[in-house]
Amino acid sequence: MRRMSVDCDCAGVAAEEPTIADIGICASTDILAIDQACCDMVFTKPEGDQKDLVERITSRHGLHQLTAMQKQKMGNPRYELIEVK
């Protein structure tokens, strides 16, 4: 989760400038847990940093994937963050 923009990486040089600096590298063997953790970290950033990205996610029902993955038993939305330095 590095230099996140409201646009997809596929937009290339036409993408909006990133507004969220590095949050960190996330890893998991559980696809739902990692997606949930990443969303939670974006949504809990200090107000202002993530405002445009949160608006983009919510206006396009971007969290629907988490519900769909849980219904399909693709993983567990619960996770534990372990910081490695």
Side-chain angles (χ1 to χ4, degrees):
M1 296 183 13
R2 182 177 177 272
R3 291 182 34 87
M4 291 187 293
S5 167
V6 296
D7 288 322
C8 175
D9 294 348
C10 63
V13 295
E16 289 288 324
E17 270 299 306
T19 56
I20 299 179
D22 298 351
I23 291 178
I25 297 171
C26 300
S28 177
T29 58
D30 186 318
I31 191 171
L32 177 53
I34 195 74
D35 278 1
Q36 183 70 61
C38 289
C39 287
D40 290 348
M41 284 189 276
V42 167
F43 276 70
T44 58
K45 287 286 291 172
E47 184 62 38
D49 287 354
Q50 89 297 20
K51 188 177 180 182
D52 59 344
L53 184 56
V54 168
E55 187 277 327
R56 178 71 59 104
I57 292 169
T58 55
S59 70
R60 289 164 174 75
H61 309 289
L63 298 177
H64 173 72
Q65 72 180 21
L66 301 174
T67 308
M69 289 166 59
Q70 191 170 5
K71 285 181 182 176
Q72 293 179 32
K73 301 190 184 317
M74 294 176 67
N76 189 330
R78 294 183 2 202
Y79 57 88
E80 176 184 359
L81 292 178
I82 300 170
E83 188 172 336
V84 178
K85 293 185 178 197

